[in-house]
Amino acid sequence: MYFDPMYLVFMAPALLLAFFAQMKVRSAYGTYTKTANSRGLTGLDAARMILGPEGLGHVQIEGIRGELTDHYDPRSKKLGLSAGVAQQPSVAALAIVAHEIGHALQDNQGYAPLKLRGAIVPAVTVSSWVAPLLFFAGLLLGLTELAWVGVILFGASVLFALVTLPVEFDASRRALRLLQSYNLADGRELQGAKTVLDAAALTYVAALAQTLMTLLYYVSILGRRRE
């Protein structure tokens, strides 16, 4: 089987960044999930204290399985909290809950990047697996036009990853504001929450790097074939 060394040229930096980002997340979460907040508030406590006053009383809270699976679903208006966040009085729990409520605020206020990301989800869901199939089918069959269709469709994944950055960064900014304005964390705890959120944000930067470098790799293959 032929291995293209150019794959490593394009993808190695992005893969290393992704690995580093995951290590940062695990380290930050591992540290601050063991660090109790001074008010002894669980993630569920914090959610209940914030949602009503922020005009989000319609948002339902539900328990979900897993670790670091917490999320806000704009379609069902539900805040999904894992047991490690909902039931633990940790700094990490406060950071994660506040971040997801940040997404709920974005949804409630019609935050444009969040609306754009939601609009392109269906296209990304299809293109993420169809695009590589078309690209490699085009290469194998010698149909350059088909391969380019695959490249163009894969561009939807790049757009999704790009739009995700302002959505996540803004949610983290809102999270820190919420923790501070509701006096849920002191200065030291706010810094810990920021460490957790910054580590999580790096994973989205890494995701963008991976999709972008994959796209550029596809384009480079077609460029070399034309030569």
Side-chain angles (χ1 to χ4, degrees):
M1 182 180 293
Y2 172 72
F3 174 75
D4 184 4
M6 288 301 295
Y7 177 80
L8 288 180
V9 173
F10 279 90
M11 297 305 301
L15 293 173
L16 288 173
L17 178 59
F19 176 76
F20 176 72
Q22 286 299 321
M23 292 290 289
K24 290 283 287 184
V25 167
R26 289 294 174 183
S27 175
Y29 181 75
T31 296
Y32 289 102
T33 199
K34 298 174 184 175
T35 304
N37 60 72
S38 57
R39 294 188 58 180
L41 298 171
T42 65
L44 183 58
D45 293 332
R48 287 171 172 167
M49 292 175 69
I50 297 173
L51 288 174
E54 289 295 320
L56 299 171
H58 61 281
V59 173
Q60 298 180 28
I61 304 172
E62 64 177 3
I64 55 175
R65 296 180 179 179
E67 183 180 68
L68 296 176
T69 51
D70 310 87
H71 65 277
Y72 168 73
D73 186 346
R75 295 165 299 178
S76 63
K77 313 301 181 187
K78 289 183 178 180
L79 181 66
L81 300 180
S82 63
V85 168
Q87 301 172 11
Q88 296 299 319
S90 68
V91 171
L94 294 182
I96 293 170
V97 163
H99 178 87
E100 297 309 328
I101 293 177
H103 286 311
L105 284 170
Q106 291 173 340
D107 181 36
N108 196 48
Q109 297 168 6
Y111 182 63
L114 181 68
K115 293 173 68 175
L116 175 58
R117 186 173 73 169
I120 63 177
V121 164
V124 173
T125 301
V126 174
S127 68
S128 62
W129 63 273
V130 170
L133 288 177
L134 293 179
F135 176 76
F136 287 108
L139 291 183
L140 291 174
L141 298 174
L143 300 174
T144 304
E145 294 80 4
L146 181 61
W148 275 112
V149 170
V151 170
I152 293 169
L153 288 178
F154 191 78
S157 296
V158 177
L159 177 61
F160 180 83
L162 182 61
V163 172
T164 292
L165 292 187
V167 172
E168 297 300 330
F169 291 163
D170 178 74
S172 291
R173 284 193 294 269
R174 292 172 187 258
L176 294 175
R177 177 189 64 79
L178 290 170
L179 293 178
Q180 187 171 32
S181 62
Y182 286 91
N183 196 30
L184 301 181
D186 60 26
R188 177 185 61 84
E189 293 163 355
L190 281 173
Q191 186 57 49
K194 186 176 185 302
T195 299
V196 172
L197 296 174
D198 286 349
L202 186 59
T203 64
Y204 295 104
V205 175
L208 173 60
Q210 285 182 279
T211 54
L212 180 59
M213 296 312 292
T214 299
L215 179 68
L216 293 177
Y217 175 63
Y218 288 170
V219 171
S220 76
I221 291 176
L222 292 177
R224 281 180 283 155
R225 289 217 166 188
R226 182 165 34 183
E227 294 173 0

